[in-house]
Amino acid sequence: MREDRQRSTIELPKTIADCHEMIKRMAERIAWLEQRYFGSKKDRAKAYDGPSLFDEEFKEAELARKQALAEAEKEVEATAAKRRAAARQVKKANRPEKYQYYGLREETRVVLPEGVNTDDYEVIGHDYTRLLHYRQAELWVECIDRPVLRMKSDKQALSADIRQAAAPRAIIGGNHVAADMLAQLIVNKFSYHLPEYRQVRMLSDLGVSLSRSTINNWIHAVASQLYPLYESQCEAVRSQGYLQIDEVPWKIADQKGKACRNGYAWQFRDVSAKPRGTFFFYHKGSREGEIARTQLKGYRGIIQTDGYKVYNQFENMPEITTLACWAHVRRKFVDAQKSNPKAGEVIKYIATLYALEENLKNESATLEQVQQERQRLAAPILDGIKLWMELTLPTCTPKEPLANAITYALNLWPRLERYTQSGLYHIDSNPVEQGQRPSVLGRKNYLFSQNDRGAEDNAIFYTFLVSCDILKLNPLNWLTDTLNNLRPDMEEQELIELLPYNYKAD
């Protein structure tokens, strides 16, 4: 006991001295970091000339992280190199195995040599040449005759038995335009981005004179007919439990004498294992968080978004899992690389993450295999990215692009690394951004909506036409069949049967 006390008394000054030394080193580190953050430009440019900023344990941990990162990068790149080599070995045929227009109706025309009596010859073979032709679209008028019938025996009767077929159901008021015509006008505008004035010219070439206002009225009348179906589509998309969300700017020209104001349409896209499409939502052009809260009221599942601040409100909701987008992070660093080449380090790491995703996709990996490989290979890369950003941020000036890119990524870090927790999760929200393209191309052609009501109707059409594109459906066929079958008195289940994800072409 006495020897232990003597030993402790001897070692105590040494321990106190070690503590003082550690405090001194920590004070020097803090002073240097404060100089980096708060000092003048001259002070921030000074190199650190004090003792090591890092303890030996930290250096060992950093070395282990770097080794894990290097091993993950090496394995991912090796797999990607094998995939690229295999792709190069696939030889492309000089001619396609099948004609690109297989499935089209064929008309055969037999051509015989001139001056030949066919009675003197027999056919011993055939050579076929296939030429693709185009016939101009044809407009025609269907005249429906509904004769009024009376029983012959009732010719002199006071109360005759008179019969007549029911009038065809009107798609819109007036009963003078068919579903296929309306569907073509809508698909031309919202899928092929043809403004109404161009369609008026096209119809004029076909012999039909219609005004822009007439076509515009027809299109908005169809939107009113589709609205109950639109509500069912919104519910169907929300019910799947994995949404990607983004906003797209639309122009609204409802202020006379002033430039167009900016409005925003929201897109909610189902990216679950069995997607049901997407839906657009527009309300007075608002981009406020109230829109997202209203549309996701009662929602339970996953949402994946960019770093727009209104989505922060969902981070702490237990029933919602939030994911971020690595494509948006990459864009920030690509922009930063223009002024600071150091940003290329993170771009290289992100490229490795995407190479891993491409490898897994080409190998048709199961969801369990995707999760395992992400935990094994992507997790060390993510650790390396985070460590690099934390060490690099103090060396940047607060407002330079690289500092903004690092801050953006670190603020979203829990959402960015969360995609490795499941094979179902996407690494980015590119699918929902791809769904914005039709509306962006449309905006460049028809330029703007004249009021909020017009923009709301546009949201209905983009909902269904983009959903058809996601589900690989012919939008013209779906819309024509739907308009022919849609009735104002349909029950909810009947409406659901008409939605694109339930559509079966005849």
Side-chain angles (χ1 to χ4, degrees):
M1 181 70 70
R2 183 179 297 175
E3 293 177 356
D4 293 340
R5 290 178 180 174
Q6 291 177 346
R7 188 181 301 110
S8 300
T9 303
I10 295 173
E11 293 177 352
L12 184 59
K14 182 180 179 181
T15 303
I16 293 173
D18 291 341
C19 290
H20 282 298
E21 181 63 26
M22 182 177 65
I23 292 171
K24 179 181 177 183
R25 288 190 290 115
M26 291 177 64
E28 290 175 342
R29 298 177 194 175
I30 292 171
W32 181 77
L33 291 173
E34 287 178 342
Q35 183 186 74
R36 282 288 182 176
Y37 274 107
F38 308 115
S40 63
K41 287 186 177 180
K42 182 178 180 181
D43 290 335
R44 289 199 296 266
K46 292 180 180 178
Y48 180 72
D49 56 358
S52 174
L53 282 172
F54 307 107
D55 297 327
E56 293 300 322
E57 294 82 358
F58 185 89
K59 289 182 179 179
E60 293 176 2
E62 181 186 4
L63 181 60
R65 288 193 192 96
K66 288 184 177 179
Q67 289 176 345
L69 174 60
E71 292 173 2
E73 283 186 292
K74 184 177 180 181
E75 182 171 344
V76 171
E77 181 55 33
T79 305
K82 290 180 181 178
R83 173 171 51 80
R84 291 193 293 268
R88 285 194 295 269
Q89 292 177 358
V90 177
K91 295 182 179 180
K92 294 184 178 180
N94 292 329
R95 299 180 65 184
E97 295 181 2
K98 293 185 178 181
Y99 289 94
Q100 298 300 316
Y101 46 88
Y102 263 40
L104 296 180
R105 178 175 59 85
E106 291 189 354
E107 297 178 2
T108 302
R109 178 167 62 95
V110 179
V111 180
L112 296 173
E114 294 183 2
V116 171
N117 186 353
T118 57
D119 294 336
D120 297 334
Y121 292 86
E122 62 176 348
V123 177
I124 61 174
H126 293 271
D127 280 332
Y128 290 95
T129 300
R130 285 180 168 82
L131 303 176
L132 183 64
H133 286 270
Y134 175 82
R135 287 195 179 106
Q136 189 178 28
E138 179 185 8
L139 294 175
W140 58 284
V141 177
E142 180 183 14
C143 184
I144 301 175
D145 181 14
R146 298 184 296 122
V148 180
L149 306 178
R150 182 183 63 187
M151 287 287 292
K152 291 182 179 180
S153 59
D154 293 341
K155 186 174 182 179
Q156 302 298 329
L158 295 176
S159 178
D161 182 10
I162 298 177
R163 303 290 181 91
Q164 185 182 29
R169 184 181 63 84
I171 305 300
I172 58 176
N175 204 7
H176 53 269
V177 59
D180 51 6
M181 179 66 179
L182 294 170
Q184 188 67 68
L185 293 173
I186 291 165
V187 170
N188 282 348
K189 179 175 181 179
F190 296 99
S191 287
Y192 303 131
H193 325 299
L194 293 175
E196 290 159 7
Y197 78 91
R198 293 184 195 167
Q199 297 197 59
V200 167
R201 293 176 58 185
M202 292 170 61
L203 293 172
S204 177
D205 293 341
L206 297 173
V208 177
S209 178
L210 292 172
S211 66
R212 288 175 56 187
S213 61
T214 297
I215 292 179
N216 184 265
N217 290 338
W218 287 357
I219 290 175
H220 288 297
V222 173
S224 298
Q225 298 297 320
L226 289 174
Y227 187 76
L229 198 64
Y230 166 76
E231 291 186 315
S232 297
Q233 173 70 8
C234 296
E235 290 297 328
V237 169
R238 282 190 291 258
S239 67
Q240 290 297 88
Y242 188 178
L243 295 177
Q244 290 187 347
I245 310 172
D246 200 12
E247 324 85 50
V248 59
W250 288 357
K251 298 289 186 180
I252 313 298
D254 58 355
Q255 300 175 341
K256 291 185 178 181
K258 296 183 180 180
C260 295
R261 64 180 172 89
N262 288 324
Y264 283 87
W266 297 66
Q267 186 193 173
F268 299 78
R269 176 164 176 165
D270 173 17
V271 289
S272 60
K274 295 182 178 180
R276 295 183 173 182
T278 188
F279 75 88
F280 286 76
F281 182 81
Y282 179 94
H283 179 67
K284 298 181 180 179
S286 174
R287 200 188 181 200
E288 295 180 357
E290 182 63 26
I291 301 295
R293 282 196 300 274
T294 302
Q295 291 300 308
L296 297 178
K297 185 177 180 180
Y299 175 77
R300 295 178 179 272
I302 307 146
I303 62 170
Q304 189 163 21
T305 67
D306 56 19
Y308 183 35
K309 61 183 179 181
V310 303
Y311 300 117
N312 296 341
Q313 61 186 309
F314 301 107
E315 179 67 25
N316 297 318
M317 293 186 180
E319 66 274 13
I320 293 180
T321 301
T322 55
L323 302 174
C325 171
W326 272 102
H328 282 82
V329 174
R330 184 183 180 279
R331 287 177 209 162
K332 298 282 186 181
F333 281 95
V334 169
D335 292 340
Q337 191 179 24
K338 299 173 184 177
S339 58
N340 194 330
K342 288 195 297 184
E345 189 74 13
V346 172
I347 297 173
K348 182 186 71 173
Y349 289 155
I350 296 175
T352 305
L353 294 176
Y354 275 89
L356 173 60
E357 297 299 311
E358 187 67 19
N359 294 342
L360 294 171
K361 179 180 178 181
N362 282 275
E363 293 169 2
S364 300
T366 64
L367 295 182
E368 291 77 11
Q369 290 172 334
V370 172
Q371 180 182 358
Q372 292 172 2
E373 290 301 289
R374 285 174 174 175
Q375 291 287 338
R376 187 174 70 87
L377 296 174
I381 298 173
L382 293 173
D383 290 341
I385 293 175
K386 185 179 181 182
L387 179 62
W388 184 92
M389 292 191 300
E390 290 174 339
L391 295 177
T392 305
L393 182 59
T395 68
C396 302
T397 56
K399 293 185 179 181
E400 72 169 285
L402 182 57
N404 293 334
I406 293 174
T407 303
Y408 177 87
L410 290 177
N411 289 341
L412 295 174
W413 192 254
R415 300 184 218 171
L416 285 169
E417 65 178 356
R418 199 169 285 150
Y419 86 96
T420 62
Q421 297 176 4
S422 172
L424 176 66
Y425 298 162
H426 291 249
I427 189 173
D428 56 38
S429 59
N430 281 349
V432 72
E433 292 207 349
Q434 291 166 1
Q436 310 283 33
R437 291 177 181 173
S439 70
V440 173
L441 289 171
R443 186 181 70 223
K444 291 181 178 180
N445 285 272
Y446 56 74
L447 302 180
F448 53 79
S449 297
Q450 291 185 347
N451 49 51
D452 285 329
R453 173 65 186 278
E456 291 169 4
D457 289 349
N458 290 356
I460 294 174
F461 292 124
Y462 282 124
T463 289
F464 290 119
L465 299 183
V466 174
S467 292
C468 286
D469 183 60
I470 293 170
L471 299 169
K472 309 301 181 186
L473 299 178
N474 183 312
L476 182 62
N477 292 346
W478 174 85
L479 187 54
T480 302
D481 291 347
T482 298
L483 291 177
N484 278 324
N485 290 292
L486 186 63
R487 303 187 312 276
D489 58 346
M490 296 183 79
E491 299 291 336
E492 178 66 21
Q493 187 55 43
E494 293 177 298
L495 291 172
I496 291 174
E497 292 300 321
L498 293 179
L499 294 177
Y501 75 93
N502 282 325
Y503 177 71
K504 295 179 178 61
D506 297 334

